[in-house]
């Protein structure tokens, strides 16, 4: 992914898939960077997924305040991941 991204940094699908791969490999800083690149672009079809996976990165790194912020944003925006975000937030309160 890194070699392909060097040539096509503006390809948001590649950013998403590389972010997911980094997340799976527990390379959370790189994953967070990929997801933030997608979100900051503001004009692509992958923002909802990037926000969801970004919240998972924050949870994995125990950055709970940032995770809550992103999860609440997902809920407010009526994202596809809204119900999952509510469930995660409920679990965080317990």
């Amino acid at each position: 992914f890194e070699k392909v991204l060097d040539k096509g940094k503006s390809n948001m699908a590649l950013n998403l898939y590389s972010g997911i791969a980094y997340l799976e490999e527990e390379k959370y800083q790189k994953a967070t960077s990929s997801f933030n690149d997608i979100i900051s672009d503001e004009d692509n079809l992958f923002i909802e997924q990037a926000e969801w996976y970004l919240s998972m990165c924050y949870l994995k790194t125990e950055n709970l305040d940032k995770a809550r912020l992103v999860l609440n944003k997902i809920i407010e925006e009526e994202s596809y991941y809204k119900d999952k975000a509510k469930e995660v937030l409920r679990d965080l309160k317990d």
Side-chain angles (χ1 to χ4, degrees), residues 1-6 8-9 11-35 37-38 53 57:
F1 281 118
E2 288 176 358
K3 289 179 183 179
V4 175
L5 275 174
D6 284 342
K9 189 73 173 166
N11 185 323
M12 294 301 124
L14 284 175
N15 275 296
L16 180 66
Y17 296 131
S18 67
I20 293 169
Y22 288 135
L23 179 60
E24 292 295 320
E25 293 177 350
E26 299 180 1
K27 295 179 180 178
Y28 301 118
Q29 188 172 1
K30 287 185 174 187
T32 298
S33 178
S34 292
F35 300 135
D37 285 347
I38 295 166
Y53 287 114
C57 284

Side-chain angles (χ1 to χ4, degrees), residues 3-4 50 55-56 63-64 66 71 75:
K3 289 179 183 179
V4 175
S55 72
M56 296 299 103
N63 195 335
L64 301 183
K66 285 188 177 182
L71 290 166
I75 294 166

Side-chain angles (χ1 to χ4, degrees), residues 12 15 32-44 46-55 58 70 73 77:
M12 294 301 124
N15 275 296
T32 298
S33 178
S34 292
F35 300 135
N36 277 322
D37 285 347
I38 295 166
I39 295 165
S40 65
D41 179 69
E42 295 182 350
D43 187 28
N44 64 77
F46 305 103
I47 294 172
E48 287 186 6
Q49 295 94 329
E51 288 174 341
W52 173 252
Y53 287 114
L54 178 63
S55 72
Y58 289 144
V70 176
K73 183 179 179 199
E77 293 174 345

